[in-house]
Amino acid sequence: MQPVTCFCCCPPVRRGSVSEAVHTLYPHAACIFADSAAELRETLIGQDGGICIALAGYSESGVSDINLCAAIARDGCAHEVVLAVDSASGSLRSRAKRAGISRILEPEKIQSHPVRETEEHTMQVEMRRTEPARDGSDGRAPLVVLCSGRGGVGKTSLTATAALIAASWGLHVGLIDLDLANGNLYTCFGLKRGADLASLAAPDPEAIASLSLSVGDSIELWGPCSLPELAEKAAPFADALIDCARSNADLVLADTASTTTDAVAGALQRADRVVLVYDGRQASLAALARLGGLAVRLGVARTRIMRLENHADPYAKPDYSYARAEMGLEVARPLRVFEGGPEVAQLMGEGLAGELARYSCDFTRSVASCLAQILAELGCLPDCEAARRASREPSVKRRFWRFSRGREVG
């Protein structure tokens, strides 16, 4: 695993809140504070190896924070450049984006909103604040949950492809299909049926472990239920299923139903990263906003929420305006997966996800890039060349135009 270091420049009185915010965002990061802007830039330029995060904010004199962050971004010595402010206006966010700043961090706003426990809540899920992100010291794998609030955006294909890519990087992957009634994650791997969770009689770890299906090298799959009407029978065992998968894998990926059932809500509360998937259509954007608000009300820290645009145009610049006022998306990291064409849907429909993952195209490379960014944030990016290369994959492709001079006809 590559070490993550966050080099910060802020007044001493702010270092406590900044350090807490950094560790919420980057659980494995070590914080090193510089006393001046010049010292911060010199330190970053001298770094060699590991993942470097640069953060600046709350300066009381000298160069402005946004100018310092812009200079660091131009230096190209940091994997991410973060600007810390109390409150970011739309104008500031636009300036930061143009300056190449990766994200804006508002330490005072990253805490989850408390939920009022009233009888108006219909879901029978314990509404609680999310526990601190796991750092792996307990021996359990990180949990990444993909959800959308709307069907047809491609999260099942993303989950299957990400699992295969992670396995190719040497990770043992646990796959959970939490669409207990109508899930079809198993079909991506050419299976006729999944691991029937309705057959569980008790939350016994040994029984859960023996129920898994091997769907590839170092990939174990659980779910869904054999019949839709049995979903309620399996729902109470969702927490035990997640615990079992995290105890026996290096990474756990969960695909979810488009409706937020009790099992899905519980997974969101326990997730190390929640990835909200959308495809740019208006209905999908509305579902993204609703689901982001729900995640916050469930107690998910905003810094654990990511938004992923699927079927993105690789040559178009990303449009972040949709997150301008959506609850829960203020600091959500944007990810993009490029359109793969009809071949992706065809291979997935034929159960050939493994063949697709081995094929180098815009879709698979961008899925690998998103996965690498998630693992890097969690401090568990595998130490292999393929993972490091994926973490450097650009989010926008450059167009190349070829001009030639026509020959004169004599």
Side-chain angles (χ1 to χ4, degrees), residues 103-122:
R103 69 169 76 202
I104 292 180
L105 182 64
E106 299 170 275
E108 302 302 325
K109 295 185 179 181
I110 67 169
Q111 296 298 325
S112 303
H113 283 186
V115 178
R116 291 175 295 179
E117 297 184 1
T118 68
E119 296 180 354
E120 295 176 0
H121 292 291
T122 57

Side-chain angles (χ1 to χ4, degrees), residues 167-195:
S168 72
W169 293 347
L171 296 179
H172 184 194
V173 183
L175 271 180
I176 303 177
D177 193 341
L178 287 178
D179 187 352
L180 301 178
N182 301 303
N184 63 344
L185 184 57
Y186 61 92
T187 63
C188 298
F189 302 94
L191 300 178
K192 294 183 178 180
R193 61 182 63 85

